[in-house]
Amino acid sequence: MDEAAATDRSLADETYSSLLDEILSAQLSGGAVIQERRLALRLGVSRSPMRDALGRLEGQGLLVRNAKGVLTVKVITLADYLNSIAVRLMLEPSAAALACNMISGEVLGALREMLEKIEADPDPAPAFVWAFDDALHNGIAAASGNRFLADIIGQMRRYTTIFERQRKLAQRKPGLADHQAILDALTARDAEAARNAMTEHLEHIRRNVLSTY
């Protein structure tokens, strides 16, 4: 790959990451029309990396075409959310059990430090709470040692994250006891406890969302 091609690839990756962050954080909300030229100007990139990034997001199902063929941000419905949680319930408990053998003490220490900061702060920044949630779940998925498992979990978490953030369903300190139980099981290298703690956590999430509808 020559230097120009490498630069284009890097710009496309950066543009993709920026747009993904905006979708996950609900800055680009469900149903929003994607205006390629305006987005390219706002992010300071040319049309080529923007088209590449948009194509990747469309391929992942986060952008869809409406009846008129216009590209829009996908609206995550309650059915989408519940189906994603169902898939996570099938996969994440197994990932947590597998991670017990592979997740490092350094990663666990960093996660515990983040959780302690959230617990100590009477009004933690939502962005920090979401960063911890991402670090915990993505870290466990990565430590499972199964890339395919981690990829699917990541995809399903995107749907649930978008749904929760667009509807502002998460509490200021969501799932602290659940997260603590998961970290305790991982620290003890207790695979069955980690499996059960993750299952309980995801079931709590599902029940909490259903209680609002």
Side-chain angles (χ1 to χ4, degrees):
M1 183 181 295
D2 60 29
E3 185 175 345
T7 299
D8 287 345
R9 180 75 267 161
S10 177
L11 282 173
D13 289 343
E14 291 175 9
T15 304
Y16 165 81
S17 295
S18 296
L19 292 176
L20 178 59
D21 286 344
E22 291 190 14
I23 293 171
L24 291 176
S25 64
Q27 294 178 61
L28 282 173
S29 59
V33 172
I34 296 299
Q35 298 177 306
E36 182 182 310
R37 184 189 296 266
R38 182 173 296 179
L39 283 174
L41 286 172
R42 178 162 65 79
L43 295 178
V45 298
S46 67
R47 302 286 289 278
S48 179
M50 176 58 65
R51 286 173 181 163
D52 184 287
L54 294 176
R56 290 168 65 181
L57 291 166
E58 186 176 7
Q60 292 170 352
L62 296 177
L63 300 180
V64 294
R65 302 276 173 180
N66 64 19
K68 296 181 179 180
V70 176
L71 195 62
T72 65
V73 178
K74 178 177 174 60
V75 175
I76 308 299
T77 65
L78 177 61
D80 292 331
Y81 180 85
L82 293 175
N83 285 334
S84 298
I85 286 288
V87 174
R88 290 180 62 185
L89 273 163
M90 287 188 282
L91 300 181
E92 284 198 71
S94 294
L98 290 169
C100 282
N101 297 321
M102 303 181 68
I103 196 165
S104 70
E106 290 77 11
V107 169
L108 288 173
L111 288 170
R112 196 172 294 280
E113 183 177 339
M114 292 179 77
L115 185 59
E116 288 172 353
K117 287 181 179 179
I118 293 171
E119 290 177 324
D121 191 337
D123 189 21
F128 187 75
V129 175
W130 281 109
F132 166 73
D133 195 68
D134 286 341
L136 177 71
H137 288 277
N138 293 338
I140 289 172
S144 73
N146 187 320
R147 180 174 61 84
F148 298 103
L149 184 64
D151 285 347
I152 297 171
I153 289 172
Q155 183 180 354
M156 293 301 102
R157 287 198 70 252
R158 286 173 185 168
Y159 288 124
T160 56
T161 296
I162 292 168
F163 184 91
E164 290 171 6
R165 296 190 75 165
Q166 288 188 343
R167 289 160 179 79
K168 298 179 172 59
L169 294 178
Q171 302 170 4
R172 286 186 304 172
K173 295 186 178 184
L176 288 183
D178 288 356
H179 289 147
Q180 187 67 61
I182 292 169
L183 286 177
D184 287 346
L186 291 170
T187 301
R189 308 296 176 180
D190 187 333
E192 195 58 30
R195 184 190 304 275
N196 291 337
M198 182 63 77
T199 299
E200 189 73 9
H201 175 50
L202 294 173
E203 286 286 6
H204 281 163
I205 293 172
R206 187 180 66 84
R207 287 196 296 269
N208 287 342
V209 169
L210 285 174
S211 71
T212 67
Y213 283 82

